[in-house]
Amino acid sequence: MRTDQDAPWWRAAVVYQVYPRSFADSDGDGVGDLAGIREHLDHLEWLGVDALWLSPFQPSPMDDNGYDISDYRAVDPIYGTLDDFDALVADAHDRGIRIVLDLVANHTSDEHPWFRQSRSASDHPRRDWYWWRRPRDGHVPGQHGAEPTNWGSFFSGSAWAWDPTSDEYYLHLFSPKQPDLNWENPAVRQAIHDVARWWLRRGVDGFRMDVINLVSKDPALPDGVVRPGEEYGDLGRSVVDGPRVHEYLAEFRREVFGDRTDVVLLVGEAPGTGLEEARRYTHPDRRELDMVFHFEHVNVDRGEFKWDLRPFSVPALRRVLATWQVGLADCWNALYWDNHDQPRVVSRFGDVTRFRDASAKALATVLHLQRGTPFVFQGDEIGMANYPFTTIEDFDDIESVNHYRRSVALGVAPEDVLVSLRAMSRDNGRTPMQWDDGPQAGFTRGRPWRPVNPDHVDVNVAAQREVPGSVLHHYRDLIRLRHEEPVVVEGTFSLLAAEHDHLFAFTREHGDTTLVVVANLSSGRVGLPDDVREACEGAALVLGERAAGVLDPWESRVLRRTRAPEGAT
Ligand code: NOJ
């Protein structure tokens, strides 16, 4: 039987995501780099994180900020060199911090040699490495309607790009500069296995696998349903959790890690995945992924479409999170609020104007003390907020800009589109890290590639380091608690106050220990319901300020109780 001591390292770990462009710039060109990350390892060690997930830093035309890779085995000069990478790995390992890479294998850049070769001739041996298809019969090739399917891309427009040289289309679920690899072809899968093995030999400790649940497509490529108000069909049914995805993932693990005895982390990004499918990805017996990033909790304030805003409701959020906690009880969860694709949680679910610090802390508490591995996105630890965008010129992200253009072309009022961009754009998560209150927040001595949030004069790492009780110290306390208390790692999860409008409260139980986590996710005062009050009886406060019967706005507490051994008086 497995004991806690044999548990894989990632169960007790907190992973910190670095978006290299925006983390720290060492050479003054305005773009973050690998040497900049290295210079800030002190911060990460002080915080106590166990691993860094690095968003892509490989050579890229940067159509999608590096999620369009043109060489899997190198470092983009803007970020440094392979020597810089090796030095970062060595320094991080010296401090006991592991390195997890982003493996972007659903697609490459259209400037990757594989795609250049594939595109060069219809009979090139690499033609079949991507999804090439003839135009639809009865339509003029290259004109709207001739696309092989009616699928819309995640970044607006058709998911097919026309190649006049060969009179065929290629598939791109994201931008036309991100052609989808054809995983049906075993040579493609082997090439990706080789890439993973190459980085493992360089010392990495795991992979975050980009949109990994989209790699298997239904080869029949059926048209999707066109929803009212939409121009293109929904490709979800044919590409999300496709027919061979589990086979591919089991093969990946076997082929890449087969003979390794050390424990690596495989976390898959899985947009559109539901709980049942997530269980298949993550059940330990199946040996596919260790955990997945699902999207259900970051969709609770969205309507049917990604850009439709819906008011945030605590019961809806709690229902989703509790369902996944219970549903993955024999598997494992990846816990996150933010990443480079999401707006900032304190602006989204918190109260950034009136209770910024308290709401950042309460949200951190309820996330970190669930069962699973928490992922901290750079800046979460100081409660970084959304950027005050004013016009469309303030945006950079391809998804946001395309959405604006297409919506305005379809007749939506520009101001209405801006309202949802301000709230939901990925650019909110990509402003430079706020290190101090100096010029450009200490991110760069040059001109930053994205403007620094003006609130950095108040919200920054240096200021919060000085203040016990700051958001930064709270994150550190939560991370320490996970390392010190087995109940945080292994405990079972039970929801309290399940019908409450504002509370998120739960217990975690392991052996003799019960942890009680209570957070008021509202800007009003809330009395403790009976079941929470009972759970807190006889328990000692381990995080928080007081144990009164009322919770202040956004107040959160953690209490701990140890059951006396049987027979003790
Ligand atoms: C998911 C990544 O997180 C996102 O940033 C990117 O745009 C898409 N995958 C495409 O690679």
Side-chain angles (χ1 to χ4, degrees):
M1 204 184 105
R2 194 178 61 71
T3 66
D4 289 0
Q5 283 73 36
D6 303 327
W9 61 265
W10 42 258
R11 280 172 84 100
V14 175
V15 183
Y16 185 97
Q17 183 194 353
V18 173
Y19 192 64
R21 280 188 89 80
S22 303
F23 189 66
D25 171 22
S26 72
D27 58 8
D29 66 358
V31 176
D33 46 44
L34 296 179
I37 302 172
R38 216 172 136 210
E39 284 171 6
H40 286 85
L41 286 175
D42 276 350
H43 168 68
L44 300 165
E45 190 179 3
W46 179 87
L47 195 56
V49 299
D50 304 275
L52 304 184
W53 148 27
L54 306 179
S55 278
F57 51 77
Q58 290 85 352
S60 164
M62 302 290 168
D63 193 50
D64 187 18
N65 282 342
Y67 282 90
D68 47 323
I69 292 178
S70 54
D71 180 354
Y72 282 111
R73 292 179 171 82
V75 172
D76 194 287
I78 204 159
Y79 296 127
T81 62
L82 275 173
D83 285 345
D84 292 326
F85 177 77
D86 292 341
L88 172 60
V89 174
D91 278 9
H93 282 173
D94 279 351
R95 294 163 188 257
I97 298 176
R98 291 179 159 90
I99 299 288
V100 174
L101 287 207
D102 220 310
L103 187 64
V104 186
N106 173 68
H107 45 268
T108 65
S109 162
D110 66 337
E111 298 181 30
H112 192 292
W114 296 344
F115 187 72
R116 288 185 194 274
Q117 292 160 0
S118 180
R119 177 179 233 169
S120 65
S122 305
D123 58 357
H124 193 283
R126 289 231 159 99
R127 185 69 169 181
D128 191 37
W129 280 43
Y130 294 84
W131 291 85
W132 290 96
R133 287 293 183 276
R134 307 269 321 134
R136 206 185 275 259
D137 285 343
H139 291 264
V140 181
Q143 289 195 5
H144 186 36
E147 296 92 355
T149 71
N150 67 355
W151 297 353
S153 126
F154 290 114
F155 287 172
S156 303
S158 170
W160 295 94
W162 171 239
D163 176 45
T165 317
S166 61
D167 279 351
E168 287 193 328
Y169 287 87
Y170 66 85
L171 177 67
H172 60 88
L173 301 189
F174 297 91
S175 114
K177 287 187 68 61
Q178 294 168 294
D180 277 57
L181 281 164
N182 175 17
W183 279 56
E184 295 277 312
N185 184 338
V188 167
R189 305 202 299 275
Q190 282 157 19
I192 295 300
H193 302 161
D194 279 349
V195 168
R197 280 190 289 251
W198 191 86
W199 284 106
L200 285 171
R201 284 196 298 275
R202 267 205 127 82
V204 312
D205 305 284
F207 297 102
R208 175 266 188 188
M209 301 177 82
D210 189 64
V211 291
I212 199 62
N213 66 327
L214 307 184
V215 294
S216 166
K217 281 81 178 169
D218 175 352
L221 304 182
D223 274 342
V225 175
V226 184
R227 291 183 288 186
E230 285 289 279
E231 205 181 353
Y232 290 97
D234 180 12
L235 48 68
R237 204 165 35 96
S238 303
V239 308
V240 172
D241 308 322
R244 297 182 66 189
V245 67
H246 295 287
E247 171 198 334
Y248 294 161
L249 287 173
E251 177 190 65
F252 181 92
R253 186 178 281 276
R254 217 173 39 241
E255 292 296 316
V256 177
F257 307 114
D259 51 358
R260 291 178 71 102
T261 50
D262 52 340
V263 178
V264 290
L265 167 64
L266 278 189
V267 48
E269 188 201 24
T273 281
L275 183 53
E276 280 317 304
E277 206 63 52
R279 288 185 50 76
R280 289 191 194 102
Y281 287 123
T282 61
H283 198 284
D285 293 347
R286 295 176 57 94
R287 302 204 39 78
E288 295 182 21
L289 299 172
D290 298 314
M291 58 190 90
V292 294
F293 294 122
H294 74 84
F295 282 58
E296 286 192 1
H297 66 303
V298 289
N299 285 337
V300 294
D301 56 347
R302 292 181 158 130
E304 195 193 344
F305 298 109
K306 169 165 185 171
W307 299 100
D308 296 345
L309 307 182
R310 198 160 63 177
F312 160 59
S313 113
V314 172
L317 180 73
R318 186 182 52 212
R319 196 175 314 119
V320 169
L321 290 172
T323 303
W324 282 78
Q325 283 289 296
V326 174
L328 291 184
D330 53 346
C331 303
W332 198 250
N333 285 274
L335 309 168
Y336 74 99
W337 289 134
D338 288 350
N339 57 44
H340 63 291
D341 294 331
Q342 299 294 332
R344 291 286 182 177
V345 70
V346 68
S347 301
R348 184 178 194 177
F349 300 152
D351 184 341
V352 74
T353 35
R354 289 186 297 161
F355 299 103
R356 180 176 181 143
D357 286 5
S359 60
K361 290 200 278 185
L363 289 163
T365 304
V366 294
L367 188 81
H368 278 245
L369 298 180
Q370 288 178 51
R371 190 165 179 283
T373 300
F375 286 73
V376 177
F377 180 54
Q378 62 187 45
D380 280 352
E381 75 273 34
I382 50 170
M384 275 178 65
N386 283 353
Y387 183 83
F389 297 103
T390 51
T391 73
I392 185 61
E393 278 70 44
D394 294 341
F395 292 89
D396 166 82
D397 161 42
I398 180 169
E399 182 193 36
S400 307
V401 172
N402 285 357
H403 168 69
Y404 178 87
R405 288 204 191 116
R406 188 152 287 266
S407 305
V408 170
L410 290 173
V412 184
E415 188 45 42
D416 290 349
V417 190
L418 282 175
V419 168
S420 57
L421 283 187
R422 279 187 203 110
M424 288 299 175
S425 170
R426 313 194 293 180
D427 279 331
N428 283 304
R430 300 176 180 188
T431 58
M433 179 69 187
Q434 296 168 199
W435 295 107
D436 58 40
D437 63 0
Q440 312 305 355
F443 163 71
T444 179
R445 54 179 190 276
R447 186 163 177 270
W449 77 283
R450 296 260 67 213
V452 169
N453 196 317
D455 69 10
H456 74 274
V457 292
D458 300 316
V459 179
N460 60 69
V461 173
Q464 294 193 17
R465 270 290 285 263
E466 304 305 313
V467 183
S470 63
V471 179
L472 182 60
H473 278 264
H474 189 70
Y475 266 83
R476 187 176 190 232
D477 291 345
L478 287 169
I479 295 169
R480 189 186 296 135
L481 193 61
R482 171 168 295 262
H483 291 153
E484 290 174 355
E485 279 285 356
V487 65
V488 177
V489 179
E490 300 297 342
T492 52
F493 172 98
S494 309
L495 194 60
L496 296 170
E499 304 298 324
H500 201 282
D501 282 344
H502 305 298
L503 282 187
F504 192 0
F506 52 89
T507 58
R508 303 285 312 283
E509 282 190 61
H510 181 63
D512 290 341
T513 309
T514 302
L515 208 64
V516 188
V517 181
V518 191
N520 173 8
L521 303 187
S522 83
S523 301
R525 299 184 86 205
V526 167
L528 290 183
D530 289 345
D531 63 342
V532 177
R533 198 184 291 271
E534 275 162 31
C536 294
E537 256 161 43
L541 199 62
V542 286
L543 271 185
E545 271 144 39
R546 58 197 199 125
V550 170
L551 288 163
D552 277 341
W554 295 99
E555 183 179 344
S556 57
R557 321 182 167 143
V558 183
L559 301 96
R560 181 184 191 281
R561 193 180 49 236
T562 309
R563 206 177 325 123
E566 299 256 322
T569 49

